[in-house]
Amino acid sequence: IARACYKRQKLLQYNTIDDAAKLLRERKNIMVITGAGISTSLGIPDFRSKDTGFYDKLLTIGYTDPEMVFDIHEFESNPGLFYSLAADILPGFKQYSPTHGFIRLLQDKGKLQTNYTQNIDNLEELAGVEKSRLIQCHGSFATATCRKCGHKVAGTEIFDDIRAKQISYCVRCKIEIANEQAAPKQNKRKPAARRYDSSDDDDDEDDDIPQPGVMKPDITFFGEQLPNHFFDTFTDRDAKNVDLVLVIGTSLKVSPVSEMPNFLPKEVPHIYISREPVTHVNFDIQLLGNCDDVVVELARRAGWELKHEMIPKDC
Ligand code: APR
């Protein structure tokens, strides 16, 4: 894990970091919108970074359309694609990043309105962000659901299959099928319109055996609706009293999260923290660099102490 260490000279070029720190001190209802970039210092790949992103890795092994891995129609017809690749994005890290720690610090200061995360690694919870202040916009691996009967299980129940790169089938469906198979057979044979040929019968038998449903983790695939509480919380509650927006570690390429800044009052200051600038969304302040470095310096200039084992003592 790369040691995140603030490099003073790198950030001093942005005099706006002092303006950002001043806003942090003053504001009380801070909305934080996050993406995969806040977990990369832990070794978890993001999606679109050149060379290191999950999608770039798929391109190098021949997948010409990497986002298909998370396409719901592809999953319906070919769940094996997801199951052959999902092991790389399974949650399981026992450490969160300084940026997760910074979000927790905002909460401790009573300033965190809500963290809207696109991430499915559950590290916000590990950092101590309360469920009431966390919206997992793209769902999570916490649960998995059968595509056929709707049976819901703890997500961990399908992790072994994901690690083994094999499709996970619904246990409840399997039990029901086994019970049906064990039930006394009704005579399914068709009247012998011609000389009886037992091989036909086997074919009929095979066609009749129902298949168990495929389990899908409750992460939001392309083509699926985001969880309802995302829209309700954002529009009915947060958009009305937010007084500062921090967007950290996301390329803002996937709607509707990418549209959120445009649906917030213009007078609310928007701060963007990422390695690369964005031009398709208007930000009042863009702080470019490793987000762990930036949040450490932001906290320092706001007069706060951000403690984390990845932050060297002399920072
Ligand atoms: N510090 C700051 N920025 C970083 C860091 C870092 N340590 N690491 C990566 N980044 C930046 C990258 O430069 C990029 O701009 O974070 C951004 C990550 O963007 P994406 O890889 O597109 O990830 P994200 O925005 O979360 O993707 C959104 O796309 O495929 C879907 O469902 C998936 O939730 C995901 C959604």
Side-chain angles (χ1 to χ4, degrees), residues 22-65:
K22 186 165 174 291
L23 284 166
L24 282 178
R25 279 196 302 273
E26 289 165 0
R27 303 297 161 111
K28 296 185 176 49
N29 275 312
I30 302 176
M31 179 186 290
V32 183
I33 301 170
T34 47
I38 73 167
S39 301
T40 54
S41 61
L42 300 169
I44 301 173
D46 66 8
F47 292 93
R48 294 174 182 82
S49 278
K50 194 95 194 68
D51 303 328
T52 55
F54 182 61
Y55 291 154
D56 241 25
K57 283 183 194 162
L58 294 188
L59 285 169
T60 53
I61 55 176
Y63 289 94
T64 50
D65 187 357

Side-chain angles (χ1 to χ4, degrees), residues 1 39 42-45 88 90-96 121-123 126:
I1 291 174
S39 301
L42 300 169
I44 301 173
D88 286 352
L90 263 189
F93 276 72
K94 300 284 173 267
Q95 181 178 36
Y96 54 85
D121 53 27
N122 293 342
L123 293 179
L126 188 67

Side-chain angles (χ1 to χ4, degrees), residues 268-282:
V268 174
H270 286 54
I271 299 172
Y272 183 69
I273 300 172
S274 187
R275 279 185 185 143
E276 293 138 29
V278 284
T279 51
H280 60 292
V281 179
N282 268 336

